[in-house]
C-alpha cells in the first residue's frame, strides 16, 4: 500500500473537522487500537485517507448500534494492510438496506407524535406490530416515524389487532429467513471467493459499487415478488 502524498495528510485538528469526530474521541479510539498511529513529520502527527476511512467505518458501526467491543472485534478481522478502498467496501456491506430512524422516546413524546393519548391497550398493540419496543419505565424505542403512522392506521382500521399482530409475525418470520438465506449466499458466492483471491485491489471498488446498487434493487425485487405472489394466490383461490 503506497504511502499517501503530503497534501493528502491531515493534522488531528483537520481530521476532526473532516470527520466530525472530536479530537478527544479520536484519541480515545486510537488508545483502543481502533485507529493506527499517525505518521510523524517532526513532532506533528499526520493522518491519511486510511485513517479517515477507518473513522467513517467506526461511525457507521456506531450508528448501526454496534457496541465498542463489537466494533473492535469487527476491525480485528480486517487485514492490517486494509486501506481506504477495503474500508469503503466494509461500509458498503454494513450500510442499512433501508433507512431506519430509531429513537428512544417517553410516553408523552409518543402521544405528541401520535396526536392523541395512547392507552395501555394501544401501546401493547403497537408493540405487537413492531412499531415500538418497551424499555425501562415509561421509555420506549420508536422503530421509525413512518411505522408509527402505519401502526395508528391499524388501530383505526376497526379490524382485530390480534389479526394484524399475527400478520406481522408471519411477515417477520419469512423475511428473516429470506434475509439469512440471501446473506449466506452472498457470503459463499461473492465475499468468500474475494477473500480467497487475497482481496484483489482491482475488485474492491467494483464490489463496493455493486453492493450499493444491489441493496435497493433487491428490496424492490422482494416487494414486487411478494405482490405477484399475493396476486397469484388470490387468482388460485378464486379459481
Amino acid at each position: 500500500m503506497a504511502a499517501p502524498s503530503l497534501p493528502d495528510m491531515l493534522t488531528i485538528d483537520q481530521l476532526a473537522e473532516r470527520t466530525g469526530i472530536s479530537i478527544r474521541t479520536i484519541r480515545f479510539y486510537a488508545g483502543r487500537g481502533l485507529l493506527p498511529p499517525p505518521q510523524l513529520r517532526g513532532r506533528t502527527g499526520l493522518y491519511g485517507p486510511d485513517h479517515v476511512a477507518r473513522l467513517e467505518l467506526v461511525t457507521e458501526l456506531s450508528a448501526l448500534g454496534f457496541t465498542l467491543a463489537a466494533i473492535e472485534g469487527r476491525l480485528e478481522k480486517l487485514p492490517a494492510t486494509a486501506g481506504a478502498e477495503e474500508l469503503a467496501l466494509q461500509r458498503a456491506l454494513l450500510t442499512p438496506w433501508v433507512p431506519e430512524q430509531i429513537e428512544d422516546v417517553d410516553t408523552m413524546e409518543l402521544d405528541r407524535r401520535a396526536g392523541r393519548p395512547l392507552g395501555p391497550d394501544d401501546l401493547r398493540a403497537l408493540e405487537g406490530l413492531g412499531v415500538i419496543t418497551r424499555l425501562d419505565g415509561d421509555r420506549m424505542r420508536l422503530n421509525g416515524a413512518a411505522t408509527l403512522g402505519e401502526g395508528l392506521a391499524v388501530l383505526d382500521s376497526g379490524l382485530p389487532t390480534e389479526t394484524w399482530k399475527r400478520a406481522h409475525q408471519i411477515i417477520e418470520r419469512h423475511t428473516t429467513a429470506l434475509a439469512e438465506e440471501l446473506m449466506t449466499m452472498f457470503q459463499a458466492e461473492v465475499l468468500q471467493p474475494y477473500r480467497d483471491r487475497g482481496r484483489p485491489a482491482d475488485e474492491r471498488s467494483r464490489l463496493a459499487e455493486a453492493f450499493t446498487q444491489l441493496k435497493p434493487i433487491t428490496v424492490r425485487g422482494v416487494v414486487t415478488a411478494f405482490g405477484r405472489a399475493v396476486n397469484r394466490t388470490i387468482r388460485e383461490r378464486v379459481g
Side-chain angles (χ1 to χ4, degrees), residues 94-115:
L94 295 168
T95 300
W97 285 53
V98 293
E100 290 184 300
Q101 295 177 326
I102 298 174
E103 303 173 79
D104 290 353
V105 299
D106 57 21
T107 52
M108 184 177 297
E109 175 62 16
L110 188 66
D111 289 348
R112 186 189 71 78
R113 297 193 184 192

Side-chain angles (χ1 to χ4, degrees), residues 27-234:
R27 286 177 173 153
F28 172 74
Y29 287 159
R32 294 293 296 258
L34 298 177
L35 198 65
Q39 295 184 25
L40 292 178
R41 295 289 190 274
R43 293 185 176 181
T44 303
L46 297 177
Y47 301 82
D50 296 351
H51 294 92
V52 174
R54 189 167 287 258
L55 283 175
E56 289 174 344
L57 179 57
V58 171
T59 301
E60 191 78 50
L61 292 171
S62 298
L64 289 172
F66 282 75
T67 64
L68 189 60
I71 293 173
E72 290 174 346
R74 181 78 189 186
L75 293 180
E76 284 174 0
K77 295 178 181 179
L78 295 176
T81 56
E85 289 187 349
E86 177 70 26
L87 295 170
L89 173 57
Q90 292 296 317
R91 287 189 66 199
L93 295 174
L94 295 168
T95 300
W97 285 53
V98 293
E100 290 184 300
Q101 295 177 326
I102 298 174
E103 303 173 79
D104 290 353
V105 299
D106 57 21
T107 52
M108 184 177 297
E109 175 62 16
L110 188 66
D111 289 348
R112 186 189 71 78
R113 297 193 184 192
R116 68 193 197 218
L118 298 171
D121 290 342
D122 296 327
L123 295 178
R124 278 192 292 272
L126 291 175
E127 185 170 26
L129 293 169
V131 175
I132 62 172
T133 303
R134 304 292 283 271
L135 304 174
D136 295 334
D138 70 340
R139 303 290 296 175
M140 62 199 71
R141 182 153 295 151
L142 176 59
N143 299 313
T147 59
L148 177 59
E150 294 165 359
L152 294 173
V154 167
L155 296 181
D156 295 339
S157 69
L159 294 177
T161 54
E162 279 301 313
T163 300
W164 288 105
K165 180 179 177 180
R166 285 197 296 273
H168 171 73
Q169 290 171 343
I170 292 170
I171 293 171
E172 186 80 9
R173 182 171 68 251
H174 287 285
T175 52
T176 297
L178 174 62
E180 290 175 350
E181 189 171 345
L182 284 173
M183 289 302 102
T184 299
M185 184 191 73
F186 291 147
Q187 286 282 346
E189 298 184 14
V190 179
L191 293 180
Q192 194 56 51
Y194 162 71
R195 297 187 187 107
D196 292 342
R197 290 192 293 272
R199 294 181 167 88
D202 60 343
E203 292 187 29
R204 292 172 192 159
S205 297
R206 181 176 59 81
L207 273 178
E209 179 64 24
F211 273 101
T212 300
Q213 295 175 348
L214 175 69
K215 293 175 182 181
I217 292 172
T218 303
V219 170
R220 289 195 298 270
V222 169
V223 172
T224 300
F226 176 71
R228 288 174 177 169
V230 172
N231 292 344
R232 184 168 58 252
T233 301
I234 292 172

Side-chain angles (χ1 to χ4, degrees), residues 8 10-21 48-49 52-53 56:
D8 294 329
L10 306 169
T11 65
I12 193 168
D13 294 317
Q14 293 168 330
L15 181 64
E17 183 178 358
R18 170 79 173 273
T19 60
I21 300 173
V52 174
E56 289 174 344

